[in-house]
Amino acid sequence: MTGERPTGPWWTRLRLPFGVAVGSATAAVELGFLAVAAVALAVSALAPAAGRRATDLTRRCAGQLVRLERRRLAGLLGADEPPAAHEVATRRQVGYLAARLLPGTLGLLAYAVLGIGLVLAGIVLRAAVRGELSLFDALSQVAVGAVLLLLNIQALASIAALDVRLAGRLLRPGHRAELTRRVQELTTSRAAVIAAVDAERQRIERDLHDGLQQRLVALGMLLGRARRARDADRTRALVTQAHEDVQRAVAELREVAWRVYPSALDASDLGEVLAMVARGSEVPVRIRCDLPLRPARQIETVLYFVACEALTNAAKHAAANLVTVEIGVREGWVRMRVHDDGVGDADLTGRGLSGLARRVAALDGRLVVTSPAGGPTTVLAELPCG
């Protein structure tokens, strides 16, 4: 759905009865569609040339009506959205529209009873104002009316629950379709993992070639100059510079090794490892890790790579002054949010972020990056606890 839903106590109270009322109206439309579709299919049986056109028209109309019902269920009845119309077979869509006639009819009856009750309440109120009812009769009528109103409200709630249950039962793909979809997801994720690994290998090769290899070549030249130097002070200065270059080379090699495999996770949890990474960051980093249980190793590894990539981008490209990393568990998902106050406008199609998205998707997770021009940038990674 697009747009913002109304919020507030008044909308929360009226959403369900309004959703049932709209469902009764759409059921009338769907009844007309089913009648026309039945006639069209019967005619197509007599005229095969028009059968394909009638089938295509039925499929399109059924898809439009199912999309309308999906929006109603999610927006008014608060249900989880069933799969999109194109993911459900046409016969299941038509079967769902036919089954929807039951809650639609029940909703119409409930509102008809409510209307009759309102008319009777008006008659009783008029009689009470004119003094035609005794106090006992008026109170008994009010008690009966209140009970009937509560029953009517409960009926509307039951109708809404039936409507949601029918959608969940009939709009879900069948077992075979679900298996097919899962196989496609696994095939796609496997290809994504291979692509992510290849991209990471290329990145490591660039780091070794452009960074460490050149530094080692320069170190060899520096040591050669120290061997040829005749001045002891000059030799000492060159050896000191070479020692500093060796330390920087070791640090770069450690970073490359951690990019291949974060071995620190063997002895420390994710929060402690990220704290070590933060101490070497050019940008101040605040970390809050609230995990009641340590997640699986593969989940920690993926979250580690996401955090490192976000910190690197914030330092190199975003000109950020502060990065915050929040890690916790919410509704069965391990959730990590990395936020920086930089200039934003991150390249979501770049190798870094796209590779991370593939890594996260391989574990049935999701990665959302929000980075408008001018900032800030937020990287949200969610992975299932299981």
Side-chain angles (χ1 to χ4, degrees):
M1 291 184 64
T2 59
E4 297 183 357
R5 297 178 186 175
T7 57
W10 65 272
W11 174 248
T12 302
R13 296 188 185 97
L14 295 179
R15 191 170 64 175
L16 187 144
F18 185 68
V20 174
V22 173
S24 297
T26 56
V29 176
E30 291 154 7
L31 176 61
F33 160 74
L34 292 172
V36 173
V39 173
L41 293 177
V43 172
S44 64
L46 301 176
R52 181 175 300 177
R53 182 177 301 177
T55 301
D56 291 341
L57 183 61
T58 300
R59 177 179 53 81
R60 288 197 299 269
C61 292
Q64 292 289 344
L65 291 173
V66 168
R67 280 189 286 271
L68 176 64
E69 293 297 341
R70 290 176 63 247
R71 296 190 183 97
R72 181 182 65 88
L73 291 172
L76 298 178
L77 300 184
D80 296 333
E81 285 201 16
H86 65 273
E87 299 177 2
V88 183
T90 302
R91 59 182 181 82
R92 294 179 69 90
Q93 295 181 31
V94 175
Y96 165 71
L97 295 176
R100 269 231 66 248
L101 298 180
L102 176 59
T105 303
L106 293 176
L108 183 62
L109 291 176
Y111 275 104
V113 172
L114 181 61
I116 294 173
L118 291 177
V119 173
L120 294 177
I123 295 173
V124 171
L125 179 61
R126 181 179 179 183
V129 170
R130 292 183 175 182
E132 298 175 357
L133 288 178
S134 64
L135 179 60
F136 176 78
D137 291 337
L139 292 177
S140 62
Q141 293 293 336
V142 169
V144 172
V147 171
L148 293 178
L149 179 60
L150 291 176
L151 291 176
N152 197 270
I153 293 174
Q154 181 59 45
L156 291 177
S158 300
I159 293 169
L162 174 63
D163 211 349
V164 172
R165 193 176 298 113
L166 284 176
R169 180 67 63 85
L170 298 178
L171 290 183
R172 299 294 176 187
H175 184 64
R176 182 181 296 274
E178 185 67 22
L179 289 177
T180 302
R181 182 189 64 83
R182 186 58 178 164
V183 169
Q184 292 174 349
E185 286 183 355
L186 293 175
T187 303
T188 303
S189 63
R190 183 184 64 179
V193 169
I194 294 174
V197 171
D198 288 341
E200 193 65 26
R201 286 174 176 171
Q202 294 175 5
R203 183 172 178 175
I204 293 170
E205 188 275 335
R206 288 196 306 271
D207 290 342
L208 292 175
H209 181 272
D210 299 338
L212 187 60
Q213 180 177 332
Q214 293 183 7
R215 189 175 296 279
L216 292 177
V217 171
L219 178 62
M221 297 173 63
L222 190 62
L223 292 175
R225 291 170 56 191
R227 290 181 60 186
R228 293 190 299 269
R230 298 181 181 276
D231 185 1
D233 293 336
R234 177 64 174 169
T235 300
R236 186 180 301 108
L238 291 174
V239 171
T240 301
Q241 183 179 352
H243 181 261
E244 294 174 354
D245 285 352
V246 168
Q247 290 180 327
R248 285 191 288 268
V250 170
E252 288 187 8
L253 182 60
R254 184 182 299 112
E255 291 181 2
V256 173
W258 275 34
R259 194 168 295 167
V260 176
Y261 179 80
S263 58
L265 288 173
D266 292 334
S268 305
D269 60 23
L270 181 61
E272 295 172 346
V273 174
L274 291 181
M276 289 188 286
V277 175
R279 284 194 289 269
S281 174
E282 301 177 6
V283 181
V285 181
R286 293 178 183 173
I287 299 176
R288 186 176 67 184
C289 184
D290 184 16
L291 294 174
L293 296 174
R294 187 169 181 178
R297 179 57 186 275
Q298 62 267 28
I299 293 178
E300 282 190 323
T301 303
V302 170
L303 293 179
Y304 166 83
F305 283 121
V306 172
C308 289
E309 181 67 25
L311 292 177
T312 301
N313 291 340
K316 290 186 177 180
H317 308 296
N321 297 315
L322 177 66
V323 180
T324 59
V325 181
E326 299 175 351
I327 308 171
V329 177
R330 181 178 179 182
E331 297 179 355
W333 292 79
V334 180
R335 186 174 184 269
M336 182 173 72
R337 179 178 179 270
V338 184
H339 176 85
D340 71 67
D341 58 357
V343 298
D345 200 20
D347 183 9
L348 306 183
T349 61
R351 289 186 175 181
L353 291 177
S354 60
L356 290 179
R358 289 191 290 265
R359 281 180 179 268
V360 173
L363 295 182
D364 290 333
R366 47 182 177 254
L367 181 74
V368 179
V369 180
T370 305
S371 183
T377 297
T378 300
V379 179
L380 178 63
E382 293 181 321
L383 294 164
C385 291

